[in-house]
Amino acid sequence: MVQHGAKEKCTKKPSSDAGRKEMKSGDGAGRGGINDLYRGLEGISLSSSEPRRLHDVSSLLFHSKSNKLPFRLPFLGPISLAEQGSIGAEISHGRGLITTRDVSMGECLFVVPPVFSADAVEVRSRYLQDKLEYGGDEARAVERLAEDQIVQKVQSACNLLSDEGIRSKSSADRARMQAFISQMSSERVPTIRNPDALMSVLVANESPSIPHNVTANLDIDNIISIIRRNAFGPDFHSYDKIAKCWTERANSECCYDRLLGIYPLAAMINHSCCPNAVRVFGCIPALNGKTSEREVMIVHASANIPKGTEITWSYLSPATPFAVRRGMLSSKYGFTCQCTRCAKEEEALSIAELQGLFALADEGWSSRGTIRCDQGEEKLVSSIERIFSAKQVPIESQRYLRVGFALLYIDYFNAAHSLENDESIERKLRIAAQLHFSFVSCNNASTEHLSILHLCYDLSSHLRSTAMKGNDPNVIARATSQVRFWTEQLKIAHMIRFGELGQDLENVRNAMKHSKLVLRNQDGWYLAKDRFI
């Protein structure tokens, strides 16, 4: 449905901010220690008392885990298909997925393999052979080659199904083809008469009821159209970064191992800038203990979802400003988002005194990566927080706006170079804490959120190390409480993103180590032994 750009990382340790004015936080996470941090959670639920009805997906993430899955694929949780106007369901537009009962955050919604996907090793080989032919647009070349490979796979399946001698024995291929084209090749959304049957088709379950003429009107243009509207791209990396990596790294080095996959069921999920679901890509374990070439999509609830509520996720990075999101959604997907976050941000940005500031913030966000980090981010972040602390913007709107400029905040943290001044570190921790609370209310357990949580843990750990050198037991106790608080927030976020990993303490520790390596190091993805995020 969408390819995300590369997630920016906190790659450097923050430095001293000595001599700069101390800012008050937006909603109470001041210098009073852990109690003030907890007050920042006003109106936000981080956990649920409801028993967790989950499935352990660790064998799809960690290469060292058993190759025996605790469930059969595809796994479908408490979800059903519905369309706009359905009784008992509120679908934003067209068709969508809804919950069939109350769902707790961190609960697994579904686990499905793609019906077709591009092989990164093969695409990379072709790219390195032909890259001189692409006239400098390497990113588009990688994307085009991935699309071409899926087109070839679809055409091969079509050819098999057109052979009268083997057609009757190709129920698996027919199921994949039916999943690929069913109710996606037409601009008009058909009525869902039998949601369970359509669900079975969309996950490519074999069925004798699948017709033989599933390849009708499926020419190359139709195939490409379906891919571009419904395929999922490389989420964590951008095609630009993939092309650069493939060009600069030797063939013997590992390459980014997912490019493009067709997930018809996941393509039913509609957009919200304030979503309630999060996806992760893993690998189906092979019998020999190594990962197979086939990827798998794992989707968990990132919020508590009442029965009959639409499942949504964001087509764009959550750390995208309101004006940019609105323009991209309109130009690429043809709709204007009406979610709570967009409504609150639009209302806040209509305040005359804020328009100039956020115009500068938009400009700063757009120019990221073209100029080196300097005090520009510091000034913007300080200005934004100053307005928030002056109570000109409601707390809920503050959180949404702050997430939209999260990459400016991350640049602000990255622009510092050493940990020398505890007062500066405390200030950064307060600002990072507000960013954490903002992500919880807006896009919980996103990669940007995990990166900020790791930063908060590192900053609080540094403050505790400093406190341990002194003799004040109150200071030591407060610093220790902060470290424990951020440890718990990291654990909660990982249990939401990766589900029942949290039932095994060693698994959740490994997930936390893995995400820190990937998110806080420039080449972390290539240093990690596992390939998920």
Side-chain angles (χ1 to χ4, degrees), residues 9-284:
K9 310 173 183 69
C10 295
T11 56
K12 301 175 184 175
K13 294 182 178 179
S15 72
S16 166
D17 248 346
R20 297 175 185 164
K21 283 189 177 181
E22 180 181 348
M23 303 304 303
K24 294 181 180 178
S25 62
D27 53 347
R31 303 188 59 151
I34 198 67
N35 290 332
D36 288 326
L37 288 174
Y38 276 118
R39 282 199 293 273
L41 293 171
E42 175 188 8
I44 298 174
S45 173
L46 279 179
S47 62
S48 172
S49 59
E50 181 182 351
R52 300 174 66 82
R53 298 183 288 267
L54 312 180
H55 289 263
D56 183 357
V57 299
S58 58
S59 56
L60 297 172
L61 304 177
F62 299 110
H63 292 179
S64 60
K65 301 299 288 186
S66 167
N67 60 13
K68 183 178 180 181
L69 294 178
F71 47 81
R72 295 182 62 184
L73 292 177
F75 166 76
L76 300 179
I79 60 173
S80 180
L81 282 162
E83 62 184 349
Q84 194 172 25
S86 299
I87 298 175
E90 293 186 5
I91 300 297
S92 56
H93 59 272
R95 297 160 298 171
L97 295 181
I98 61 169
T99 53
T100 56
R101 59 166 169 79
D102 292 346
V103 172
S104 300
M105 65 173 66
E107 187 168 352
C108 192
L109 298 174
F110 62 85
V111 183
V112 293
V115 295
F116 296 102
S117 62
D119 183 280
V121 175
E122 292 181 15
V123 174
R124 183 191 189 195
S125 176
R126 175 76 180 276
Y127 168 78
L128 293 176
Q129 291 175 8
D130 303 338
K131 65 179 181 179
L132 295 179
E133 300 177 8
Y134 300 126
D137 192 357
E138 289 85 1
R140 181 63 186 125
V142 173
E143 185 177 17
R144 182 72 61 81
L145 288 170
E147 289 178 350
D148 288 348
Q149 189 180 95
I150 292 181
V151 169
Q152 291 172 11
K153 290 183 176 182
V154 174
Q155 289 179 315
S156 296
C158 288
N159 293 336
L160 284 173
L161 296 179
S162 66
D163 190 322
E164 292 289 342
I166 64 174
R167 187 169 63 183
S168 61
K169 301 179 182 180
S170 303
S171 59
D173 276 320
R174 286 190 288 114
R176 293 169 68 208
M177 287 302 302
Q178 181 73 349
F180 181 70
I181 66 174
S182 179
Q183 303 198 24
M184 296 198 301
S185 58
S186 172
E187 296 297 331
R188 180 177 177 274
V189 177
T191 300
I192 298 175
R193 294 186 176 88
N194 189 333
D196 291 339
L198 179 55
M199 182 87 77
S200 182
V201 169
L202 292 174
V203 296
N205 277 341
E206 295 184 35
S207 169
S209 64
I210 296 175
H212 289 298
N213 61 342
V214 296
T215 61
N217 301 319
L218 200 61
D219 57 22
I220 291 179
D221 289 339
N222 281 335
I223 295 173
I224 292 177
S225 177
I226 294 172
I227 291 172
R228 291 181 179 175
R229 288 202 313 271
N230 300 284
F232 290 80
D235 263 23
F236 181 66
H237 277 37
S238 67
Y239 284 115
D240 282 304
K241 288 198 172 183
I242 292 172
K244 182 178 179 181
C245 170
W246 287 358
T247 300
E248 295 178 352
R249 289 178 177 268
N251 284 332
S252 60
E253 294 185 86
C254 63
C255 65
Y256 190 76
D257 53 2
R258 83 158 309 275
L259 292 175
L260 203 60
I262 305 295
Y263 292 86
L265 178 64
M268 297 295 127
I269 298 180
N270 286 318
H271 165 85
S272 173
C273 299
C274 198
N276 55 25
V278 60
R279 65 177 174 263
V280 178
F281 291 99
C283 279
I284 301 173

Side-chain angles (χ1 to χ4, degrees), residues 292-336:
S292 70
E293 296 297 324
R294 201 174 185 197
E295 68 189 30
V296 63
M297 180 190 288
I298 309 160
V299 178
H300 288 95
S302 59
N304 295 328
I305 312 176
K307 178 181 178 180
T309 301
E310 182 177 16
I311 298 165
T312 60
W313 54 30
S314 180
Y315 293 178
L316 308 174
S317 165
T320 308
F322 168 76
V324 180
R325 290 200 318 273
R326 175 148 290 185
M328 292 176 69
L329 290 171
S330 175
S331 62
K332 187 170 184 179
Y333 300 101
F335 67 87
T336 298

Side-chain angles (χ1 to χ4, degrees), residues 373-390:
C373 293
D374 55 21
Q375 293 185 353
E377 290 80 8
E378 158 73 17
K379 293 177 181 178
L380 278 174
V381 168
S382 296
S383 298
I384 292 170
E385 291 300 320
R386 187 186 307 111
I387 287 179
F388 288 169
S389 65

